[in-house]
Amino acid sequence: MLLDQWSWTIGEVVAPFGRVGEVKVAIVSDFPERFLRLERACLRRSPDDARLFVVERARLHKGQALLKLTGVESIDDAEMWRRALVQVMRSQAVALPSDAYYVGDLVGMEVVTSGGRSLGPLTAVLNYPAHDLFVVGDAMIPAVKEFVKAVDVQTRRIVVEPPAGLLPDDEPADAG
């Protein structure tokens, strides 16, 4: 079975748990309860080293997920998967409201100004308490409706209207 389609990361194995082969997973999903419905999961140690497992049981414990996987029967078996990514198919991603997006879907999109100037691809989204920041080249654009005018998943384009002086080669708004 090709495991390329199993590339949507929802957690990372951080340690064995108990003596019967459970793995403790640091959750990187905004939807921890999704672990309780897992039937299968791919554990990926590297791009070329992945294995699909049946999930026998799953539970949440102290902000992490505990998974019992078929074939992982001991502490040593579980230890082999430390630092492996826990992945599902992209089609299993939790549906979001129409004005919300997964970072993985946004990264790589072309960012342009409302005037049509290409700023380059979105390379990262930094999470901060007040709001996220879109990283485009040397610019960091606040990911708020005031500056992000449109996100078109079909054309993979984000339209922004940053204030004067925000982009590295802009003149400040009060420059004379």
Side-chain angles (χ1 to χ4, degrees), residues 6-165:
W6 294 77
S7 61
W8 195 254
T9 301
I10 61 171
E12 181 179 349
V13 176
V14 294
F17 187 84
R19 297 182 310 203
V20 295
E22 282 185 300
V23 293
K24 185 187 313 183
V25 177
I27 299 169
V28 298
S29 170
D30 287 338
F31 308 98
E33 65 281 355
R34 71 174 308 135
F35 284 89
L36 302 176
R37 296 185 304 273
L38 273 183
E39 294 177 8
R40 297 187 303 165
C42 177
L43 269 54
R44 187 175 307 275
R45 291 184 278 219
S46 72
D48 300 325
D49 184 10
R51 183 168 158 203
L52 189 61
F53 289 93
V54 171
V55 178
E56 292 179 16
R57 68 179 174 271
R59 58 193 169 114
L60 300 178
H61 177 71
K62 296 184 179 181
Q64 297 181 317
L66 302 177
L67 301 179
K68 176 61 179 91
L69 308 169
T70 298
V72 179
E73 305 300 330
S74 67
I75 294 172
D76 290 339
D77 291 348
E79 184 64 43
M80 289 177 40
W81 294 99
R82 186 186 292 263
R83 290 186 291 285
L85 299 178
V86 179
Q87 299 180 319
V88 296
M89 289 191 289
R90 172 61 176 96
S91 62
Q92 294 176 315
V94 175
L96 297 176
S98 62
D99 63 343
Y101 306 93
Y102 283 108
V103 171
D105 290 339
L106 296 176
V107 171
M109 284 187 169
E110 184 66 19
V111 180
V112 298
T113 65
S114 54
R117 175 179 161 205
S118 176
L119 302 178
L122 179 69
T123 56
V125 178
L126 304 178
N127 183 262
Y128 286 95
H131 52 73
D132 293 344
L133 290 174
F134 285 174
V135 179
V136 184
D138 292 333
M140 287 194 264
I141 302 167
V144 295
K145 289 181 182 181
E146 181 180 352
F147 303 135
V148 179
K149 298 302 180 182
V151 176
D152 189 333
V153 177
Q154 299 301 329
T155 62
R156 301 213 25 89
R157 180 177 268 210
I158 299 171
V159 178
V160 297
E161 208 170 273

